[in-house]
Amino acid sequence: MTSLRGRSFLSTTDLSSRDMLALIELTIAGKHSGREAFGSPLHGRGVGLVFFNPSLRTRASMIMAVSQLGGQPVPLEVGAGTWDLEHRTGVVMDGAKSEHVREAVPVLAQYVDAIGVRCFPALKSLSGDRQDPVLRAFAQYSPVPVINLESAMHHPCQALADMVTIRERLGGFKGRKVSLVWANHPKVLPHAVPNSFILAALQCGLDLTVAAPPEYQPDDDFRAVMQQTALTGGGSVRCITDRDAAYDGAQVIYAKSWASTVYYGHSERDLACRANYRHWQVTSELMQRTDSGIFMHCLPVRRNVVVADSVLDSSASVVVEQAANRLAAQKALLASIFS
Ligand code: CP
Protein backbone atom coordinates (compact mmCIF):
# COMPACT_ATOMS: atom_id res chain seq x y z
CA MET A 1 0.00 0.00 0.00
CA THR A 2 2.72 2.43 -0.97
CA SER A 3 0.11 4.84 -2.37
CA LEU A 4 -0.87 5.75 1.21
CA ARG A 5 2.66 6.37 2.50
CA GLY A 6 2.82 9.77 4.19
CA ARG A 7 -0.62 10.74 2.86
CA SER A 8 -3.89 11.85 4.46
CA PHE A 9 -7.01 9.66 4.40
CA LEU A 10 -10.04 11.94 4.16
CA SER A 11 -12.37 9.88 1.96
CA THR A 12 -12.36 6.35 0.51
CA THR A 13 -12.04 8.05 -2.87
CA ASP A 14 -8.53 9.12 -1.87
CA LEU A 15 -7.78 5.53 -2.94
CA SER A 16 -8.26 4.00 -6.36
CA SER A 17 -10.56 0.96 -6.50
CA ARG A 18 -7.48 -1.21 -6.88
CA ASP A 19 -5.78 0.29 -3.80
CA MET A 20 -9.02 0.03 -1.82
CA LEU A 21 -9.20 -3.69 -2.58
CA ALA A 22 -5.51 -4.07 -1.67
CA LEU A 23 -6.07 -2.31 1.67
CA ILE A 24 -9.00 -4.63 2.41
CA GLU A 25 -6.83 -7.69 1.70
CA LEU A 26 -4.02 -6.23 3.82
CA THR A 27 -6.50 -5.76 6.67
CA ILE A 28 -7.70 -9.36 6.43
CA ALA A 29 -4.14 -10.71 6.28
CA GLY A 30 -3.16 -8.60 9.30
CA LYS A 31 -6.26 -9.56 11.24
CA HIS A 32 -5.47 -13.25 10.94
CA SER A 33 -1.76 -12.88 11.71
CA GLY A 34 -2.08 -11.71 15.32
CA ARG A 35 -1.42 -8.44 17.10
CA GLU A 36 2.15 -8.14 15.90
CA ALA A 37 1.23 -8.53 12.21
CA PHE A 38 2.52 -5.11 11.12
CA GLY A 39 5.42 -4.84 13.59
CA SER A 40 5.97 -1.43 15.20
CA PRO A 41 5.92 1.17 12.40
CA LEU A 42 4.74 3.79 14.92
CA HIS A 43 7.57 3.18 17.40
CA GLY A 44 8.59 6.56 18.81
CA ARG A 45 5.70 8.28 17.05
CA GLY A 46 2.45 9.84 18.24
CA VAL A 47 -1.00 10.21 16.68
CA GLY A 48 -3.29 13.05 17.83
CA LEU A 49 -6.95 12.05 18.03
CA VAL A 50 -9.06 15.22 18.07
CA PHE A 51 -12.72 14.70 18.94
CA PHE A 52 -15.26 17.48 18.49
CA ASN A 53 -18.02 14.87 19.07
CA PRO A 54 -18.65 11.70 21.14
CA SER A 55 -17.38 8.29 20.11
CA LEU A 56 -16.99 4.79 21.50
CA ARG A 57 -15.75 2.60 18.63
CA THR A 58 -13.60 5.14 16.79
CA ARG A 59 -11.90 6.43 19.91
CA ALA A 60 -11.18 3.01 21.44
CA SER A 61 -10.16 1.32 18.19
CA MET A 62 -7.83 4.16 17.15
CA ILE A 63 -6.19 4.27 20.58
CA MET A 64 -5.59 0.51 20.39
CA ALA A 65 -4.49 0.60 16.75
CA VAL A 66 -1.82 3.23 17.48
CA SER A 67 -0.72 1.41 20.65
CA GLN A 68 -0.49 -2.01 18.97
CA LEU A 69 1.68 -0.48 16.22
CA GLY A 70 4.08 0.77 18.89
CA GLY A 71 2.93 4.40 18.91
CA GLN A 72 1.50 6.84 21.43
CA PRO A 73 -2.14 7.93 20.96
CA VAL A 74 -2.88 11.50 22.10
CA PRO A 75 -6.68 11.83 22.49
CA LEU A 76 -8.00 15.39 22.82
CA GLU A 77 -11.60 16.46 23.52
CA VAL A 78 -12.34 19.82 21.93
CA GLY A 79 -13.89 22.16 24.49
CA ALA A 80 -13.52 19.61 27.31
CA GLY A 81 -9.92 19.34 28.45
CA THR A 82 -8.61 21.31 25.49
CA TRP A 83 -9.65 24.67 24.06
CA ASP A 84 -12.79 25.15 22.01
CA LEU A 85 -11.62 25.52 18.39
CA GLU A 86 -12.64 28.01 15.70
CA HIS A 87 -12.18 26.98 12.05
CA ARG A 88 -13.72 29.87 10.05
CA THR A 89 -11.39 32.34 8.39
CA GLY A 90 -11.54 36.06 9.11
CA VAL A 91 -13.83 35.63 12.10
CA VAL A 92 -13.75 37.98 15.12
CA MET A 93 -13.05 35.55 17.94
CA ASP A 94 -14.96 37.32 20.71
CA GLY A 95 -17.18 34.31 21.51
CA ALA A 96 -16.68 31.02 23.33
CA LYS A 97 -13.97 29.65 21.01
CA SER A 98 -10.49 30.39 22.35
CA GLU A 99 -8.14 29.03 19.70
CA HIS A 100 -8.08 28.85 15.91
CA VAL A 101 -7.21 25.62 14.07
CA ARG A 102 -4.69 27.71 12.13
CA GLU A 103 -2.48 27.67 15.24
CA ALA A 104 -3.80 24.56 17.01
CA VAL A 105 -3.22 22.12 14.14
CA PRO A 106 0.39 23.06 13.25
CA VAL A 107 1.22 23.22 16.96
CA LEU A 108 -0.20 19.72 17.56
CA ALA A 109 1.81 18.54 14.56
CA GLN A 110 5.01 19.58 16.41
CA TYR A 111 4.28 16.77 18.89
CA VAL A 112 2.66 14.04 16.79
CA ASP A 113 3.19 12.41 13.40
CA ALA A 114 -0.45 12.20 12.23
CA ILE A 115 -3.73 13.77 13.33
CA GLY A 116 -7.13 12.05 13.38
CA VAL A 117 -10.18 14.27 13.62
CA ARG A 118 -13.88 13.70 14.28
CA CYS A 119 -16.00 16.69 13.29
CA PHE A 120 -19.74 16.22 12.67
CA PRO A 121 -21.66 18.63 10.39
CA ALA A 122 -23.57 21.71 11.50
CA LEU A 123 -26.62 20.25 9.64
CA LYS A 124 -27.70 23.76 8.64
CA SER A 125 -27.03 23.65 4.91
CA LEU A 126 -26.22 20.72 2.62
CA SER A 127 -24.02 22.85 0.38
CA GLY A 128 -22.14 24.17 3.43
CA ASP A 129 -21.65 20.75 4.99
CA ARG A 130 -20.61 19.34 1.63
CA GLN A 131 -17.49 21.57 1.87
CA ASP A 132 -16.53 19.58 5.01
CA PRO A 133 -15.13 22.82 6.47
CA VAL A 134 -13.53 21.58 9.71
CA LEU A 135 -11.90 18.54 8.08
CA ARG A 136 -10.63 20.71 5.21
CA ALA A 137 -9.19 23.25 7.67
CA PHE A 138 -7.29 20.48 9.47
CA ALA A 139 -6.00 19.16 6.14
CA GLN A 140 -5.02 22.68 5.05
CA TYR A 141 -3.07 23.58 8.18
CA SER A 142 -1.55 20.19 9.04
CA PRO A 143 2.00 19.40 7.89
CA VAL A 144 1.41 15.74 8.90
CA PRO A 145 -1.16 13.25 7.49
CA VAL A 146 -4.78 13.80 8.59
CA ILE A 147 -7.09 10.83 9.12
CA ASN A 148 -10.84 11.38 8.92
CA LEU A 149 -12.51 9.85 11.99
CA GLU A 150 -15.96 10.95 10.70
CA SER A 151 -16.48 14.36 9.26
CA ALA A 152 -19.52 16.20 7.94
CA MET A 153 -19.63 14.11 4.76
CA HIS A 154 -17.40 11.04 5.14
CA HIS A 155 -16.54 8.22 7.54
CA PRO A 156 -13.93 6.32 5.51
CA CYS A 157 -12.52 4.23 8.38
CA GLN A 158 -16.03 2.88 9.02
CA ALA A 159 -16.52 2.12 5.33
CA LEU A 160 -13.20 0.30 5.19
CA ALA A 161 -14.27 -1.95 8.08
CA ASP A 162 -17.67 -2.42 6.42
CA MET A 163 -16.03 -3.67 3.21
CA VAL A 164 -13.73 -5.99 5.17
CA THR A 165 -16.84 -7.47 6.84
CA ILE A 166 -18.61 -7.98 3.50
CA ARG A 167 -15.48 -9.45 1.88
CA GLU A 168 -15.06 -11.96 4.71
CA ARG A 169 -18.74 -12.86 4.99
CA LEU A 170 -19.57 -13.05 1.26
CA GLY A 171 -16.18 -14.20 -0.02
CA GLY A 172 -15.84 -11.35 -2.53
CA PHE A 173 -17.59 -8.36 -4.07
CA LYS A 174 -18.46 -8.99 -7.73
CA GLY A 175 -22.12 -9.90 -8.21
CA ARG A 176 -22.96 -9.59 -4.49
CA LYS A 177 -26.29 -7.88 -3.80
CA VAL A 178 -26.12 -5.32 -1.00
CA SER A 179 -28.90 -2.97 0.16
CA LEU A 180 -28.41 0.23 2.13
CA VAL A 181 -31.79 0.88 3.72
CA TRP A 182 -32.79 4.18 5.33
CA ALA A 183 -34.16 3.73 8.85
CA ASN A 184 -36.37 5.77 11.11
CA HIS A 185 -34.60 7.54 14.01
CA PRO A 186 -35.69 10.11 16.61
CA LYS A 187 -32.84 12.45 15.60
CA VAL A 188 -31.70 14.00 12.32
CA LEU A 189 -28.36 12.33 11.54
CA PRO A 190 -25.47 13.21 9.19
CA HIS A 191 -24.77 11.74 5.74
CA ALA A 192 -21.20 10.65 6.50
CA VAL A 193 -21.76 6.93 7.07
CA PRO A 194 -24.13 6.35 4.12
CA ASN A 195 -21.97 8.47 1.81
CA SER A 196 -18.81 6.54 2.61
CA PHE A 197 -20.59 3.18 2.54
CA ILE A 198 -22.04 3.94 -0.90
CA LEU A 199 -18.72 5.13 -2.32
CA ALA A 200 -16.71 2.22 -0.87
CA ALA A 201 -19.30 -0.35 -1.99
CA LEU A 202 -19.16 0.99 -5.54
CA GLN A 203 -15.36 1.23 -5.52
CA CYS A 204 -15.35 -2.48 -4.59
CA GLY A 205 -17.74 -3.38 -7.43
CA LEU A 206 -20.81 -4.41 -5.41
CA ASP A 207 -24.33 -4.36 -6.85
CA LEU A 208 -25.81 -1.75 -4.54
CA THR A 209 -29.42 -0.78 -3.88
CA VAL A 210 -30.08 2.41 -1.90
CA ALA A 211 -33.63 2.39 -0.52
CA ALA A 212 -35.17 5.42 1.16
CA PRO A 213 -38.43 7.38 1.23
CA PRO A 214 -38.64 10.11 -1.44
CA GLU A 215 -37.53 12.91 0.93
CA TYR A 216 -34.40 10.94 1.89
CA GLN A 217 -33.18 10.00 -1.58
CA PRO A 218 -29.66 11.07 -2.60
CA ASP A 219 -29.69 14.37 -4.49
CA ASP A 220 -28.73 14.74 -8.16
CA ASP A 221 -25.14 15.79 -7.44
CA PHE A 222 -24.40 12.73 -5.36
CA ARG A 223 -26.27 10.44 -7.77
CA ALA A 224 -23.89 11.54 -10.50
CA VAL A 225 -20.90 10.67 -8.29
CA MET A 226 -22.49 7.30 -7.47
CA GLN A 227 -23.02 6.44 -11.14
CA GLN A 228 -19.47 7.39 -12.06
CA THR A 229 -18.03 5.39 -9.14
CA ALA A 230 -20.13 2.34 -10.10
CA LEU A 231 -18.83 2.60 -13.64
CA THR A 232 -15.21 2.73 -12.48
CA GLY A 233 -15.64 -0.01 -9.86
CA GLY A 234 -17.43 -2.43 -12.18
CA GLY A 235 -20.60 -2.83 -10.09
CA SER A 236 -24.00 -1.19 -10.24
CA VAL A 237 -26.25 1.13 -8.26
CA ARG A 238 -29.96 1.84 -8.14
CA CYS A 239 -31.94 4.17 -5.88
CA ILE A 240 -35.47 3.07 -4.99
CA THR A 241 -38.31 4.11 -2.68
CA ASP A 242 -39.78 0.59 -2.38
CA ARG A 243 -38.63 -0.62 1.04
CA ASP A 244 -39.63 -4.26 0.52
CA ALA A 245 -37.90 -4.53 -2.85
CA ALA A 246 -34.60 -3.62 -1.15
CA TYR A 247 -34.85 -6.84 0.86
CA ASP A 248 -35.77 -9.18 -2.00
CA GLY A 249 -32.75 -11.42 -2.66
CA ALA A 250 -30.28 -9.14 -0.83
CA GLN A 251 -27.20 -10.72 0.74
CA VAL A 252 -26.55 -7.72 3.01
CA ILE A 253 -28.99 -5.34 4.67
CA TYR A 254 -27.11 -2.26 5.93
CA ALA A 255 -29.46 -0.05 7.94
CA LYS A 256 -28.76 3.62 8.59
CA SER A 257 -30.74 6.75 9.22
CA TRP A 258 -29.75 10.07 7.64
CA ALA A 259 -31.05 13.60 7.21
CA SER A 260 -33.60 14.41 4.55
CA THR A 261 -32.06 15.94 1.44
CA VAL A 262 -35.29 17.93 0.93
CA TYR A 263 -35.52 19.36 4.47
CA TYR A 264 -31.77 19.59 5.20
CA GLY A 265 -31.22 22.43 7.68
CA HIS A 266 -34.86 22.30 8.83
CA SER A 267 -34.80 19.66 11.54
CA GLU A 268 -38.37 20.26 12.71
CA ARG A 269 -39.69 19.59 9.19
CA ASP A 270 -37.47 16.53 8.83
CA LEU A 271 -38.74 15.14 12.15
CA ALA A 272 -42.36 15.76 11.11
CA CYS A 273 -41.69 14.05 7.80
CA ARG A 274 -40.06 10.96 9.24
CA ALA A 275 -43.06 10.41 11.53
CA ASN A 276 -44.67 8.96 8.38
CA TYR A 277 -41.89 6.40 8.01
CA ARG A 278 -41.81 4.60 11.36
CA HIS A 279 -42.32 1.34 9.45
CA TRP A 280 -38.82 1.78 7.96
CA GLN A 281 -37.46 -0.51 10.66
CA VAL A 282 -35.53 -3.75 10.02
CA THR A 283 -37.71 -6.65 11.17
CA SER A 284 -37.46 -10.44 11.04
CA GLU A 285 -40.33 -10.51 8.56
CA LEU A 286 -38.43 -8.25 6.18
CA MET A 287 -35.17 -10.19 6.64
CA GLN A 288 -37.00 -13.34 5.50
CA ARG A 289 -37.24 -11.76 2.02
CA THR A 290 -33.41 -11.72 1.75
CA ASP A 291 -31.06 -14.40 0.40
CA SER A 292 -29.97 -15.50 3.91
CA GLY A 293 -28.87 -11.87 4.28
CA ILE A 294 -26.64 -10.55 7.04
CA PHE A 295 -27.58 -7.44 9.01
CA MET A 296 -25.07 -4.60 9.30
CA HIS A 297 -25.06 -1.27 11.13
CA CYS A 298 -22.15 1.01 12.08
CA LEU A 299 -23.43 1.43 15.69
CA PRO A 300 -24.59 2.96 17.95
CA VAL A 301 -28.06 1.71 17.02
CA ARG A 302 -31.51 2.39 18.48
CA ARG A 303 -33.15 -0.94 19.29
CA ASN A 304 -36.74 -1.37 18.13
CA VAL A 305 -36.58 1.92 16.22
CA VAL A 306 -33.90 1.27 13.59
CA VAL A 307 -33.91 -2.54 14.00
CA ALA A 308 -36.00 -5.03 15.95
CA ASP A 309 -34.39 -6.96 18.82
CA SER A 310 -35.22 -10.18 16.96
CA VAL A 311 -32.84 -9.19 14.12
CA LEU A 312 -30.11 -7.54 16.19
CA ASP A 313 -29.96 -10.56 18.53
CA SER A 314 -30.12 -13.12 15.71
CA SER A 315 -27.26 -14.97 14.00
CA ALA A 316 -27.84 -12.74 10.93
CA SER A 317 -26.46 -9.73 12.80
CA VAL A 318 -22.72 -9.08 12.30
CA VAL A 319 -22.57 -5.70 14.02
CA VAL A 320 -20.01 -6.70 16.66
CA GLU A 321 -17.73 -8.32 14.07
CA GLN A 322 -18.16 -5.19 11.93
CA ALA A 323 -17.09 -3.00 14.86
CA ALA A 324 -14.16 -5.35 15.60
CA ASN A 325 -12.98 -4.84 12.02
CA ARG A 326 -12.48 -1.14 12.78
CA LEU A 327 -9.34 -2.01 14.74
CA ALA A 328 -7.98 -4.35 12.06
CA ALA A 329 -8.71 -1.86 9.25
CA GLN A 330 -7.17 1.13 11.04
CA LYS A 331 -4.03 -0.85 11.85
CA ALA A 332 -3.62 -1.69 8.16
CA LEU A 333 -4.31 1.96 7.29
CA LEU A 334 -1.80 3.36 9.78
CA ALA A 335 0.80 0.74 8.82
CA SER A 336 0.38 1.81 5.19
CA ILE A 337 0.70 5.53 6.00
CA PHE A 338 3.83 4.91 8.10
CA SER A 339 5.36 2.07 6.10
N1 CP B 1 -19.39 3.67 14.21
C1 CP B 1 -18.76 4.63 14.90
O1 CP B 1 -18.06 5.47 14.34
O2 CP B 1 -18.96 4.54 16.25
P1 CP B 1 -18.57 5.69 17.27
O3 CP B 1 -19.43 6.89 16.93
O4 CP B 1 -18.91 5.12 18.64
O5 CP B 1 -17.13 6.00 17.13
Side-chain angles (χ1 to χ4, degrees):
M1 283 307 304
T2 49
S3 72
L4 267 169
R5 187 178 297 151
R7 283 182 51 203
S8 291
F9 186 58
L10 307 182
S11 161
T12 62
T13 52
D14 288 342
L15 296 174
S16 66
S17 285
R18 187 184 158 142
D19 284 350
M20 179 81 170
L21 294 169
L23 186 55
I24 290 164
E25 295 308 319
L26 185 68
T27 299
I28 293 170
K31 178 180 164 181
H32 296 292
S33 303
R35 283 192 171 199
E36 314 299 327
F38 297 106
S40 301
L42 288 178
H43 178 71
R45 290 168 156 155
V47 178
L49 302 171
V50 181
F51 285 89
F52 285 78
N53 314 98
S55 163
L56 188 160
R57 279 142 291 273
T58 306
R59 179 196 311 271
S61 60
M62 279 302 287
I63 287 171
M64 290 311 297
V66 174
S67 301
Q68 289 182 16
L69 295 174
Q72 173 69 52
V74 183
L76 297 167
E77 316 300 322
V78 176
T82 190
W83 305 108
D84 225 339
L85 295 177
E86 177 63 68
H87 70 277
R88 296 168 295 171
T89 50
V91 70
V92 178
M93 288 176 56
D94 58 357
K97 294 179 178 173
S98 305
E99 182 160 20
H100 202 283
V101 295
R102 196 161 181 164
E103 288 78 50
V105 171
V107 166
L108 183 57
Q110 302 303 306
Y111 317 134
V112 299
D113 301 89
I115 298 175
V117 58
R118 165 160 289 199
C119 46
F120 289 172
L123 286 171
K124 289 183 179 154
S125 121
L126 186 50
S127 58
D129 286 343
R130 206 166 253 153
Q131 302 305 313
D132 237 329
V134 180
L135 180 73
R136 294 289 158 195
F138 269 70
Q140 181 180 353
Y141 299 123
S142 176
V144 298
V146 172
I147 301 168
N148 184 348
L149 304 180
E150 188 174 349
S151 67
M153 282 291 134
H154 298 282
H155 196 355
C157 292
Q158 179 65 54
L160 190 55
D162 295 341
M163 292 308 121
V164 168
T165 309
I166 291 173
R167 162 70 181 80
E168 288 203 298
R169 282 283 176 162
L170 271 53
F173 295 109
K174 293 286 178 206
R176 275 46 168 207
K177 289 182 68 178
V178 172
S179 291
L180 172 65
V181 184
W182 182 88
N184 181 38
H185 196 283
K187 287 184 171 177
V188 176
L189 298 182
H191 287 182
V193 169
N195 281 354
S196 283
F197 181 78
I198 289 169
L199 293 172
L202 297 176
Q203 287 176 270
C204 289
L206 287 164
D207 290 331
L208 178 68
T209 295
V210 180
E215 299 87 346
Y216 298 84
Q217 288 286 318
D219 65 10
D220 289 345
D221 287 350
F222 193 55
R223 276 176 195 248
V225 175
M226 287 161 66
Q227 292 296 349
Q228 185 54 50
T229 312
L231 204 63
T232 313
S236 66
V237 62
R238 62 175 182 152
C239 297
I240 63 173
T241 55
D242 182 341
R243 182 202 64 174
D244 294 359
Y247 286 80
D248 290 337
Q251 294 166 284
V252 175
I253 296 297
Y254 194 114
K256 186 70 185 83
S257 194
W258 59 83
S260 165
T261 38
V262 175
Y263 301 124
Y264 204 97
H266 304 279
S267 60
E268 68 298 335
R269 293 177 73 185
D270 186 326
L271 292 171
C273 178
R274 63 181 57 205
N276 301 313
Y277 299 121
R278 293 205 172 100
H279 58 290
W280 282 71
Q281 178 189 136
V282 183
T283 62
S284 297
E285 293 70 33
L286 285 166
M287 288 299 289
Q288 279 169 14
R289 302 178 79 116
T290 68
D291 180 10
S292 303
I294 56 170
F295 172 77
M296 296 180 68
H297 190 282
C298 61
L299 303 180
V301 69
R302 301 265 183 157
R303 283 177 172 262
N304 303 310
V305 179
V306 170
V307 55
D309 280 346
S310 58
V311 175
L312 197 53
D313 297 331
S314 75
S315 58
S317 174
V318 299
V319 296
V320 173
E321 175 184 326
Q322 188 184 346
N325 284 334
R326 292 290 304 276
L327 174 57
Q330 289 153 194
K331 282 179 72 176
L333 174 74
L334 286 165
S336 298
I337 292 172
F338 287 101
S339 63

